[in-house]
Amino acid sequence: DARVTQTPRHKVTEMGQEVTMRCQPILGHNTVFWYRQTMMQGLELLAYFRNRAPLDDSGMPKDRFSAEMPDATLATLKIQPSEPRDSAVYFCASGLVFGAGGVVNEQFFGPGTRLTVL
Amino acid sequence: LAKTTQPISMDSYEGQEVNITCSHNNIATNDYITWYQQFPSQGPRFIIQGYKTKVTNEVASLFIPADRKSSTLSLPRVSLSDTAVYYCLVGPTGGFKTIFGAGTRLFVKA
């Protein structure tokens, strides 16, 4: 049963600390998404990767957030320095796209990382 | 990107058919319509996707009229476990600029 995994599941940290969230996409998937979910803003797309290359990170605060895919099995989202307003659930999702203009038919979401910044 | 409008919430009873309509007046020619379901403390889960007319799978049906300015997700014979938030997404080919709206909170009662 292929699943997207995320670590850690919960993280409590203090303002100013660095936070790193990790995601293992489903093997063979060539697209990875990072989302943030809060009660006020709902689900927001932060970044999107295809074949490990970042295609869109316009939804991400550039000054403190960074997203990378060191290899096909690992995606990371870092916040440095973290702030209380970053408290949210962060979801990673992966999917499969065929061809340059292919549709992402289905995104498979991980269980999320619940981040609390004090 | 086409904006979507859905009812904020809906109530239903077990065994009933539930239809959730999504408006997307500015849908583009190459946009697909996708629905996701989200339970509390979980990530969204894909339900169904379509481009036009009708699509059916083991979970739901998706009805899309000819003008594609709206779509209706149909859940047959809902159960308590179908209580969740349902999101309608409209996105271009490539689908990476995914915008989840507020969704529709469906509450199924016994």
Side-chain angles (χ1 to χ4, degrees):
Chain A
D1 184 21
R3 297 183 185 186
V4 174
T5 58
Q6 291 186 246
T7 56
R9 293 294 310 277
H10 302 273
K11 176 72 175 179
V12 180
T13 190
E14 293 188 346
M15 182 173 62
Q17 297 297 305
E18 178 179 299
V19 175
T20 298
M21 291 169 272
R22 294 176 174 80
C23 167
Q24 182 173 13
I26 293 174
L27 188 64
H29 281 185
N30 60 358
T31 60
V32 171
F33 303 78
W34 281 106
Y35 292 89
R36 174 171 63 183
Q37 186 170 37
T38 61
M39 289 294 293
M40 293 300 294
Q41 299 296 328
L43 266 164
E44 303 173 276
L45 177 66
L46 298 175
Y48 167 77
F49 290 78
R50 183 181 294 184
N51 297 322
R52 294 178 54 200
L55 287 196
D56 191 321
D57 60 2
S58 59
M60 203 164 63
K62 300 294 190 302
D63 56 338
R64 299 183 299 108
F65 284 60
S66 62
E68 296 179 346
M69 281 201 73
D71 60 61
T73 65
L74 177 64
T76 62
L77 180 66
K78 290 186 181 180
I79 308 174
Q80 169 63 15
S82 58
E83 297 181 1
R85 58 178 169 158
D86 300 328
S87 296
V89 180
Y90 291 81
F91 289 106
C92 172
S94 71
L96 191 59
V97 173
F98 299 97
V103 175
V104 180
N105 288 325
E106 180 174 355
Q107 295 181 39
F108 294 80
F109 281 76
T113 294
R114 182 174 295 275
L115 174 65
T116 303
V117 183
L118 303 175
Chain B
L1 289 169
K3 181 181 175 181
T4 60
T5 302
Q6 307 173 230
I8 296 296
S9 64
M10 295 180 67
D11 289 344
S12 182
Y13 288 93
E14 281 190 294
Q16 289 188 332
E17 177 185 76
V18 171
N19 296 309
I20 306 174
T21 297
C22 179
S23 297
H24 28 79
N25 291 319
N26 297 323
I27 190 168
T29 302
N30 60 347
D31 283 348
Y32 282 73
I33 300 155
T34 311
W35 286 80
Y36 281 82
Q37 174 192 56
Q38 186 178 25
F39 298 114
S41 301
Q42 294 185 26
R45 184 174 72 106
F46 173 91
I47 300 175
I48 198 166
Q49 183 181 74
Y51 184 80
K52 61 180 180 181
T53 62
K54 177 183 175 183
V55 179
T56 297
N57 61 24
E58 64 278 6
V59 176
S61 294
L62 178 60
F63 298 92
I64 306 168
D67 65 6
R68 303 202 325 126
K69 293 184 183 299
S70 67
S71 58
T72 299
L73 175 73
S74 182
L75 304 172
R77 298 180 298 282
V78 294
S79 63
L80 296 176
S81 62
D82 292 316
T83 294
V85 178
Y86 293 82
Y87 296 96
C88 164
L89 284 72
V90 174
T93 302
F96 60 84
K97 203 69 173 179
T98 315
I99 297 179
F100 283 79
T104 297
R105 189 172 299 274
L106 173 65
F107 186 67
V108 180
K109 299 180 248 186

